[in-house]
Amino acid sequence: MTWQAHVLTLFPGMFPGPLGESLAGRALAGGIWSLSAHDIRAAASGRHRSVDDTPFGGGPGMVMRADVVDAAIAAAGAPHLPFLCLSPRGMRLDQARARALAEGPGVVLLCGRYEGIDQRVLDARGIEEISIGDYVLSGGELAAMVLLDAAVRLLPGVMGAADSAAEESFSGKLLEYPHYTRPAEWQGRRVPEVLLSGNHGAIARWRRDAALELTRRRRPDLLRSPLATEAAAANDCMTEKRP
Ligand code: ADE
């Protein structure tokens, strides 16, 4: 079954954008997933097809209208799929959520622009907001692409079989250890000798220690989770597997 992504946006021309290239692009062309970008403006009525208005109570910027957004959601016609609205106010996207979405039938993503979306449509439809990080983008579109990329690469058949199996144990509990390839010496810098030793036990221990040290320095917050202790023992890292 094709994993279905629907994106509701004022800028459908932004899609597939980078998702049409590389790993996600090949999977899209291969029918592993499908992408429909729905133009929110098509759901607006009136001569000007206006999608936004000034905020009640005053303040800067414009707010996307509840009636227009609601009609756009209805027109997308995918009520069976999980629905998320990209917003810096949401809970943070993480690897576990990306995996949960990849294990489902797909997702519908609503991209906000302007100052935000009229709260009433979010309340009426019980829409969950999700953020990709603590910074503010000019709209949800790039965030939607980030979310889709994180989910699509986990779909069966997108990465090589070996990598996807390995991915199961890599749950983002530790940062990944450093990688090296030929030449063994470059500009006077040698690859850590243990990696040339052929001693798989020693290599695994070196990688675990390097991952732990990196995590301790850069993301000590990750080590406070009980999963991190397990990960350290199992040598699991946040990894970026490629096909
Ligand atoms: N829209 C604007 N900023 C965002 C963020 N950080 N995450 C998700 N959607 C956004």
Side-chain angles (χ1 to χ4, degrees):
M1 254 287 277
T2 301
W3 194 85
Q4 288 178 51
H6 294 265
V7 181
L8 279 63
T9 169
L10 289 168
F11 301 95
M14 287 175 75
F15 292 87
L19 297 174
E21 305 281 337
S22 186
L23 199 68
R26 277 198 299 277
L28 187 59
I32 293 177
W33 69 296
S34 68
L35 175 62
S36 310
H38 305 267
D39 187 358
I40 294 174
R41 197 173 296 278
S45 51
R47 203 156 57 86
H48 296 293
R49 290 201 173 270
S50 115
V51 295
D52 59 329
D53 210 329
T54 53
F56 280 124
M62 302 289 274
V63 177
M64 287 170 72
R65 290 170 55 127
D67 55 346
V68 175
V69 171
D70 187 61
I73 294 170
H80 57 293
L81 295 179
F83 195 106
L84 294 169
C85 173
L86 283 307
S87 159
R89 300 193 314 180
M91 300 266 281
R92 195 92 59 82
L93 173 67
D94 60 13
Q95 188 67 15
R97 175 56 81 93
R99 180 168 293 119
L101 287 169
E103 284 168 0
V107 71
V108 185
L109 299 175
L110 171 60
C111 303
R113 281 263 157 181
Y114 313 115
E115 286 309 300
I117 296 172
D118 189 308
Q119 184 64 36
R120 290 169 297 178
V121 67
L122 303 177
D123 293 343
R125 288 187 172 266
I127 293 172
E128 183 189 347
E129 294 176 277
I130 192 157
S131 166
I132 63 160
D134 292 343
Y135 41 81
V136 181
L137 304 169
S138 49
E141 286 77 9
L142 289 174
M145 289 178 201
V146 167
L147 184 153
L148 290 175
D149 186 81
V152 161
R153 62 188 287 279
L154 300 176
L155 296 175
V158 174
M159 291 186 286
D163 280 346
S164 14
E167 182 68 29
E168 280 310 303
S169 62
F170 290 120
S171 307
K173 300 155 191 164
L174 291 181
L175 301 184
E176 202 185 16
Y177 52 79
H179 301 279
Y180 301 90
T181 186
R182 278 184 279 278
E185 184 169 331
W186 174 75
Q187 294 191 350
R189 293 167 186 267
R190 277 197 66 73
V191 166
E193 286 305 323
V194 63
L195 299 180
L196 310 176
S197 69
N199 180 339
H200 297 297
I203 291 171
R205 279 192 298 282
W206 181 89
R207 287 181 167 163
R208 181 201 54 206
D209 292 349
L212 259 173
E213 178 49 29
L214 198 68
T215 309
R216 200 172 281 131
R217 262 193 291 124
R218 293 188 185 167
R219 293 290 307 277
D221 57 302
L222 291 178
L223 290 174
R224 284 191 284 275
S225 99
L227 288 177
T229 323
E230 260 174 54
N235 200 21
D236 283 359
C237 303
M238 179 94 93
T239 190
E240 202 34 67
K241 291 285 177 198
R242 286 173 203 91

